[in-house]
Amino acid sequence: MGYGGKQRGDAEGAMATDFFWSYTDEPHASRRRQILSQYPQIKQLFGPDPFAFLKLHCDRGGFGILLFFIELFVVLFYWPLWESRMLVENSEGRSVLVGTSEEICAVQWAIRLYESRLFLMVVLLQLWTATFLYNASWMKILIVAYFFGSFLNHNLFLAIHELSHNLAFSTPVYNRWLGIFANLPIGVPMSVTFQKYHLEHHRYQGVDGVDMDVPSLTEAKLVTNVVSKSIWVIFQLFFYALRPLFLKPKPPGIWEFVNLIIQLALDVGLVHFWGWKALGYLILSTFVGGGMHPMAGHFISEHYVFNPDQETYSYYGPLNLMTWSVGYHNEHHDFPRIPGSKLHKVREIAPEFYENLDSYRSWSQVIYMYIMDRAVGPFSRMKRNLATKSLKKSE
């Protein structure tokens, strides 16, 4: 990869004074062509998840709610224990589950059940929690939001990411309606607008003035030390949401107004019947879940450059179970038409294209590295000029 910039400054550990500047196209389109030439069967993974409709349903009544909590408990508490004992590398360097047949079946059972009911249950559970906390103290609301609601709202944010690629239904408008539904517990309308900017992030990755995923020059110049980086991480969701509105505003369309009206109707209803604390819980869940929080580590891990020869990084840790496998980020950018539930198969089919790339096992560690490494900051992103980027769509 041809690149320039002053990421390490004149001395090791110096804060960057410019972005990385690449003089080649983004790496995903060329790697996609190489993989498909060798493994054309990967095309069979393209298109909406055939089981996506199941993710919109759940068992009614107390049994369904009980199952959801059992599955959530299994994923949050037992999977890390299983991972340390059961997930090992085989002779080919690939991670595989080992253990008794009963243990492996238990892991697979938990994952299947968890995903099959996840979507609708997350929306309903989060809205119910908001009404349950209508009379709680703000400290209790903050604690519940950080340790519980943040996981649910971030899961919904990444469900919206999945839907922005039309990976639930073949008909785009159905994905749009479902995205608006998933948007409800987030508290602020963002589903439709997110899709507009996110698809540009894929088509024009790192292109100056087009890819709004890249921090602004103002952010990069102000965030230069441990304290300012910590503050930036805490408020990164605000920067992520507001950056495109200031740097590259797009005129709202009819769907933005639909998103806005439906979201306002829910918010007004919550405030009218249960008070401001119910709505405050939803907003706090969104805010803290996008800041100094393990789930928010993917914002940094995906494209912040820790290795000058690599601009996209994957994460292969357990939180993929709650984030629609967004951690498989190299695989996702290589094949944005493959749903998250199948991205692991790309790595299984074509391991030689991914096993030598840097990757992560912990999003929390990524946040720590970003804050404490004096040479890393908002400038640690790859940029390219539009003339460098091929105008062919990468989807």
Side-chain angles (χ1 to χ4, degrees), residues 50-291:
F51 299 104
F53 188 71
L54 294 176
K55 293 173 184 172
L56 310 182
H57 292 75
C58 66
D59 297 272
R60 294 184 178 181
F63 181 68
I65 296 175
L66 177 62
L67 263 182
F68 174 81
F69 277 109
I70 292 174
E71 294 152 14
L72 189 62
F73 179 81
V74 167
V75 171
L76 287 179
F77 294 96
Y78 279 96
W79 172 257
L81 300 178
W82 281 332
E83 181 189 35
S84 63
R85 186 167 62 88
M86 298 175 64
L87 194 63
V88 300
E89 288 190 355
N90 62 13
S91 59
E92 299 175 352
R94 296 166 63 181
S95 296
V96 294
L97 280 173
V98 297
T100 66
S101 58
E102 291 81 5
E103 288 174 328
I104 293 176
C105 284
V107 174
Q108 295 172 338
W109 172 85
I111 295 171
R112 283 198 300 270
L113 286 180
Y114 180 71
E115 290 185 344
S116 67
R117 296 169 177 84
L118 182 61
F119 192 92
L120 182 59
M121 288 302 301
V122 168
V123 172
L124 296 182
L125 180 59
Q126 185 69 327
L127 294 178
W128 175 83
T129 305
T131 62
F132 180 77
L133 294 172
Y134 80 99
N135 200 30
S137 67
W138 281 110
M139 180 57 68
K140 181 178 181 180
I141 290 173
L142 177 61
I143 292 173
V144 175
Y146 188 86
F147 291 101
F148 181 72
S150 56
F151 288 92
L152 302 187
N153 272 15
H154 212 93
N155 171 274
L156 292 173
F157 174 79
L158 292 170
I160 290 171
H161 165 262
E162 188 89 346
L163 292 164
S164 72
H165 290 281
N166 296 320
L167 292 174
F169 299 101
S170 299
T171 305
V173 69
Y174 296 162
N175 293 280
R176 189 163 290 175
W177 278 116
L178 195 55
I180 292 173
F181 174 72
N183 196 156
L184 293 176
I186 292 175
V188 293
M190 49 73 63
S191 175
V192 176
T193 303
F194 171 81
Q195 183 182 38
K196 287 184 175 181
Y197 289 102
H198 182 68
L199 295 183
E200 285 189 343
H201 164 61
H202 275 266
R203 294 188 184 104
Y204 307 110
Q205 180 175 315
V207 172
D208 188 29
V210 180
D211 183 1
M212 291 294 103
D213 192 71
V214 179
S216 66
L217 188 61
T218 301
E219 292 172 68
K221 288 185 174 181
L222 291 177
V223 180
T224 58
N225 53 51
V226 170
V227 174
S228 58
K229 283 194 287 185
S230 298
I231 295 172
W232 184 89
V233 168
I234 292 171
F235 292 95
Q236 67 176 320
L237 198 60
F238 285 100
F239 293 108
Y240 189 85
L242 298 177
R243 186 186 304 133
L245 302 181
F246 284 97
L247 299 183
K248 196 172 182 285
K250 295 178 180 291
I254 183 64
W255 280 102
E256 274 93 351
F257 288 108
V258 171
N259 194 178
L260 174 65
I261 291 169
I262 292 176
Q263 189 65 54
L264 284 179
L266 175 79
D267 294 349
V268 170
L270 275 176
V271 173
H272 178 76
F273 290 105
W274 288 281
W276 286 100
K277 288 184 175 180
L279 179 60
Y281 164 74
L282 296 181
I283 302 295
L284 275 174
S285 295
T286 300
F287 169 67
V288 298

Side-chain angles (χ1 to χ4, degrees), residues 349-361:
I349 294 171
E352 68 272 23
F353 287 92
Y354 300 102
E355 59 189 9
N356 292 324
L357 296 176
D358 288 348
S359 60
Y360 302 111
R361 287 283 182 176

Side-chain angles (χ1 to χ4, degrees), residues 20 28 298 300-316 326-331 357-360 363 380:
F20 283 104
H28 302 289
H298 75 90
I300 297 172
S301 74
E302 292 167 356
H303 297 291
Y304 279 80
V305 177
F306 287 85
N307 172 3
D309 294 320
Q310 186 175 329
E311 64 177 289
T312 304
Y313 302 77
S314 289
Y315 157 85
Y316 300 122
V326 74
Y328 288 83
H329 216 66
N330 266 302
E331 295 85 345
L357 296 176
D358 288 348
S359 60
Y360 302 111
W363 277 332
S380 301

